Amino acid sequence: MPLVYAVISGFKSTGELTSNPFGLPERWKAGNYTGILGDGMFWRQIANSAGMALGTTVCTVAASAMAAFALARYAFRGRELFYMLFTIGLMFPFAVAVLPLFLLLRDFSLLDNPLGVILPQAAFGLPMTIIILRGFFRTVPAEIEEAAVMDGCGKFRFFWKILLPMARPALGTVSVLAIVASWNNFFLPLLVFNDPEWQTVPVGVQQFQGQYSTDYALVLAYIVLAMVPALAFYAVAERQLIGGLTAGATKG
């Protein structure tokens, strides 16, 4: 209902939204939506958010999968200590590290650079991703790995050719979590980017709302259009996740 209300309100004028907040528009003002869709900055923000979400997901899942494989399948001194350090990372929100992170990014010349957003997002996404993947990797029977080794399969080949395909449901889950976290991140892009050309969708919504603070209908139209890519992704990701889980259950 809130989404339907926002979509319909985006077709109204601000005056009609004030006088008739819950009814249908007397005149459907499609210009609110078409004007935003014709703005190149809006599409640039979509592309920026999508690119940073993709980069964050690749870095997070790749690093976490290798770390989780070592923590799940190898026995070495200090393994549980390393795992505990990653789990402790869940206790520290991003806001705690704002000042040292900003100074670090400045020293490495990563301000106004997409890597200044991608790398910290990936780092903060490691704890949860490693916990999920390690739990899944530990459920894979040791007999499968032993049989692969007897057939001449090395450790890395087992990880790449056998374990990762078996872990597609878990990889899909952590990928969705990484993409959603990156897409919704507001504070870090606001901290890193001064150049409007690198603004992401959450920052763009905030800037647009400040610029058109009195035109409520136009702001609602902008918010609705900013939500469309995320809603489309959720629809696609849901099918992929269900398909992966079903395939995993069938194989089991």
Side-chain angles (χ1 to χ4, degrees), residues 74 80 86 100 105 121 134 147-148 178 182 192 194 208 224 251:
Y74 287 89
E80 296 305 317
F86 280 114
L105 294 175
Q121 285 184 157
R134 181 179 187 251
S182 175
V192 173
N194 289 319
F208 191 88
V224 168
K251 290 178 182 178

Side-chain angles (χ1 to χ4, degrees), residues 57-95:
T57 303
V58 170
C59 293
T60 303
V61 175
S64 298
M66 291 185 287
F69 174 64
L71 293 171
R73 311 296 297 189
Y74 287 89
F76 56 89
R77 181 177 296 178
R79 183 182 69 172
E80 296 305 317
L81 175 62
F82 280 111
Y83 181 68
M84 184 182 67
L85 291 176
F86 280 114
T87 58
I88 290 175
L90 295 173
M91 300 172 58
F92 296 95
F94 167 75

Side-chain angles (χ1 to χ4, degrees), residues 146-221:
E146 293 171 359
V149 172
M150 291 180 63
D151 289 338
C153 185
K155 293 289 186 181
F156 181 77
R157 190 177 178 185
F158 168 75
F159 168 73
W160 183 256
K161 294 289 188 178
I162 300 176
L163 192 61
L164 288 185
M166 294 180 65
R168 278 182 296 179
L171 293 174
T173 300
V174 297
S175 297
V176 170
L177 292 176
I179 290 174
V180 170
S182 175
W183 187 274
N184 291 334
N185 197 336
F186 169 76
F187 200 8
L188 185 57
L190 183 66
L191 178 71
V192 173
F193 297 131
N194 289 319
D195 187 353
E197 293 297 314
W198 287 111
Q199 284 182 351
T200 58
V201 171
V203 178
V205 170
Q206 188 264 346
Q207 296 290 338
F208 191 88
Q209 185 176 4
Q211 184 178 357
Y212 298 95
S213 58
T214 58
D215 195 342
Y216 305 118
L218 187 61
V219 170
L220 285 172

